[in-house]
Structures are given as structure tokens and as C-alpha cells.
Amino acid sequence: MRISEEYNISGSVSDDFILLGFPCRWEIQILLFSIFFVTYLLTLLGNTAIVCAVHWDHRLHTPMYILLANFSFLEICYVNSDVPNMLANFLSKTKTISFARCLLQLYFFFSLGTTECLFLSIMAYDRFLAICRPLYYPTIMTTKFCSSLVIFCWVYGFLWFLIPVILITQLPFCGPNVIDDFLCDLGPLLALASACVPIPGTVLICGTMSSLLIFATFFYIIGSYTLVLRAVMQVPSIAGRKKAFSTCSSHLAVVFLFYGSVMMTYVSPGSGQAEGMQKFTTLFYSVLTPFFNPMIYSLRNKEMKDALKKVLGGS
């Protein structure tokens, strides 16, 4: 890429990386900034509305909606870990990010992504209990237990990727400091470090931990919803079957949106994806999925739609 060569800097990377973002003419940069800025604002508005709706409507003070409110708050944190810097990058001439800020962004971005995988798993477990074990659901999924699951997701999410990030801080970045992405992502950083010295151990650890997290949570979610859908098909009431299927289909839509793009990116980090492909898959699950989630969760949920009308309309 000509722009990459233009920025290519030799020597030790001790101060800054250069995030190429989406190289194009200045007019296109402004257009992209406008599109993503509006998307960012709508994402914040949609997810904040869900958090407020659950908080203010006492009918939604149930485990399913408590988990959904926490998930929406997570999405707010998630987009704030990468989008503000991406927006600033569109308007920047230098497009630089300090080494410390780059590693900090990497840690928070991956920790929040890990937390999202765990929340999707817990939400699948909640639906499994509610539909497949309805008699035991009130005694198992208590408010205290639900709060413990929420705390587990947040704490474990921020611990899981600590070791890979520490390993990356020890890598030598001695050559080009150009990252062909809009954030400090795992694959491009490993690629920069491997240009200096072979790092098969670090790549193996990062790839193993990413794959373990992604596949373990994904197959657990799919297994849970398989049992749920089988139980739904046995519900005698058509109305009850439709309501249960509506809830599960919303959750599954979010799961496939998120995991489909994540698997393309992180199952084998640093393996050299097609040029430009990684940034678009990353863009999809880190920017577009949080944007679509509020619409997916509220579109076919009458209780949530009613609560959102009160929050947004004040009636």
C-alpha cells in the first residue's frame, strides 16, 4: 500500500504508532467521520435508553432485563474504547497514538470483548433456565445470583486477556510503526513485532486464549439455544411458543452478528489476513453490532418497546 510506505519509519518504536485507519481523500475522510459520528451517537442513545428503561420500569426488574441492561452498558463502554479515537483519527494529519495509549486501548478493547462473550453466555444460560427449567428458575436465578453472574462477567473479562497484553508489552517493535487499522488490534501488533524477531510462543498463546474463549462460549451458547428451541417446539400454546421464540431469536441474532466477525479476526491472530479485511471485520463487531443491538432486542419485545416509549417519549 503506497500510503503505508509513505508512513514507514525504521528504528525503534518507543514513542508512537501510526494508525492508518481508512486511507482516502480528505473529502471522503470527512464523510466517513460524519457517518461514524452519527452511528456513534445513535449507539450511545439506543443503549442508554435500554439501561434507563430497565432502571425506571419496575416490571423489567427481572434477571433477563437486568442482564440486558448490563449488556447495553457494556456496549456503551465497548464503543468508547475505540470509536472516539477513530473519529479523532479521521481529522488528524499525523494519525499517531502513543505506545502506552496503544497498549491501553488493546487491553480495554479485548477485556470488554471478553466480557461481551461471557455476558452472551450468561444470557443464554438465563433463557435455558427460564424455558427448559421454568419450575426451578425462580429459586436458581435469584437477584443475588444474577448479581453474582454480572460481577463474574466483569471481573473475569478483565482478567482473561491480562497475560497476552503483558506478553505484548515485552515484544520488540524495532521496525515499521504503521498499523493498517483504525485501532491497536492484536493481529497488526503481532505482525509488527514478528517483523523484528520470530515470536511463535506469543502468537501461540494469544491465538490459543482467543480461540478457547471464542469457541467455548460460542458452542455453549449454541448448545443452550438448541435445547431451548427444542423445548419451545413442545410448548402447546401457539402464543407462548411465539413469545419464547421471539426472545430467543433476538439473542441468537446478536450472537451470530458478534461471533461471525470475531471468529474471522481472532481465531488465528497475526496469520496475515487479506489486506484491509481485518479492519472491516473489526469495524463490524466493534461499531456496527453495538449499533444494531438495541434495535434487535427491542424490535420484537413488547415489554421493552413499552418501556422505551416511556423513556423516549416521556409518556
Side-chain angles (χ1 to χ4, degrees):
M1 179 180 282
R2 192 174 65 186
I3 298 178
S4 298
E5 292 171 356
E6 184 180 314
Y7 279 113
N8 201 15
I9 298 173
S10 60
S12 177
V13 179
S14 58
D15 296 321
D16 298 317
F17 287 109
I18 295 170
L19 292 173
L20 280 185
F22 301 93
C24 54
R25 297 198 315 272
W26 176 249
E27 295 82 2
I28 304 298
Q29 295 269 341
I30 297 300
L31 176 63
L32 289 175
F33 171 84
S34 303
I35 293 171
F36 287 119
F37 182 67
V38 171
T39 303
Y40 173 62
L41 291 181
L42 291 175
T43 301
L44 295 182
L45 176 63
N47 285 285
T48 302
I50 288 180
V51 173
C52 293
V54 174
H55 178 71
W56 288 334
D57 194 327
H58 292 286
R59 294 174 302 171
L60 302 184
H61 289 185
T62 62
M64 184 180 82
Y65 291 110
I66 291 171
L67 291 173
L68 178 56
N70 276 273
F71 185 75
S72 294
F73 177 71
L74 168 64
E75 295 288 56
I76 294 170
C77 297
Y78 202 26
V79 294
N80 277 310
S81 70
D82 63 312
V83 176
N85 188 75
M86 179 181 72
L87 292 174
N89 208 31
F90 279 123
L91 305 179
S92 171
K93 295 294 185 182
T94 59
K95 302 186 183 300
T96 58
I97 182 171
S98 69
F99 184 75
R101 277 184 61 207
C102 184
L103 293 179
L104 198 61
Q105 184 186 58
L106 176 73
Y107 173 66
F108 277 99
F109 183 73
F110 271 86
S111 296
L112 292 166
T114 301
T115 307
E116 180 149 347
C117 290
L118 297 175
F119 261 109
L120 289 171
S121 301
I122 296 303
M123 291 165 79
Y125 174 67
D126 173 72
R127 290 301 84 204
F128 167 77
L129 282 180
I131 296 173
C132 299
R133 301 289 186 271
L135 297 179
Y136 297 100
Y137 183 76
T139 55
I140 296 176
M141 191 59 75
T142 61
T143 302
K144 182 179 180 181
F145 183 59
C146 183
S147 300
S148 299
L149 291 176
V150 169
I151 293 170
F152 165 79
C153 289
W154 283 104
V155 173
Y156 201 79
F158 275 80
L159 290 177
W160 178 259
F161 223 80
L162 198 57
I163 292 175
V165 171
I166 291 173
L167 289 175
I168 290 172
T169 63
Q170 309 303 312
L171 295 178
F173 294 95
C174 61
N177 64 343
V178 177
I179 299 176
D180 187 13
D181 211 330
F182 62 91
L183 56 77
C184 290
D185 210 348
L186 182 61
L189 283 173
L190 291 177
L192 286 184
S194 62
C196 299
V197 293
I199 51 169
T202 302
V203 172
L204 178 63
I205 291 172
C206 292
T208 300
M209 294 193 71
S210 297
S211 300
L212 183 62
L213 172 75
I214 292 168
F215 283 113
T217 54
F218 179 73
F219 285 123
Y220 174 79
I221 292 167
I222 295 302
S224 298
Y225 281 117
T226 300
L227 296 174
V228 166
L229 292 175
R230 190 173 69 175
V232 167
M233 297 306 295
Q234 297 172 356
V235 174
S237 166
I238 295 177
R241 191 159 54 217
K242 184 178 179 182
K243 182 178 180 180
F245 183 77
S246 177
T247 302
C248 294
S249 62
S250 299
H251 290 192
L252 280 172
V254 172
V255 167
F256 284 117
L257 276 175
F258 180 73
Y259 277 94
S261 49
V262 165
M263 285 180 178
M264 290 178 63
T265 307
Y266 297 117
V267 170
S268 183
S271 59
Q273 288 186 336
E275 186 176 350
M277 179 58 69
Q278 174 162 322
K279 73 173 73 174
F280 288 107
T281 56
T282 305
L283 180 72
F284 188 83
Y285 76 80
S286 65
V287 179
L288 298 181
T289 301
F291 170 70
F292 288 123
N293 282 353
M295 291 181 279
I296 292 172
Y297 278 118
S298 61
L299 205 59
R300 303 182 66 181
N301 189 310
K302 186 178 184 302
E303 292 88 351
M304 180 56 69
K305 279 195 289 189
D306 291 342
L308 286 173
K309 284 177 183 177
K310 291 181 180 179
V311 171
L312 299 176
S315 58

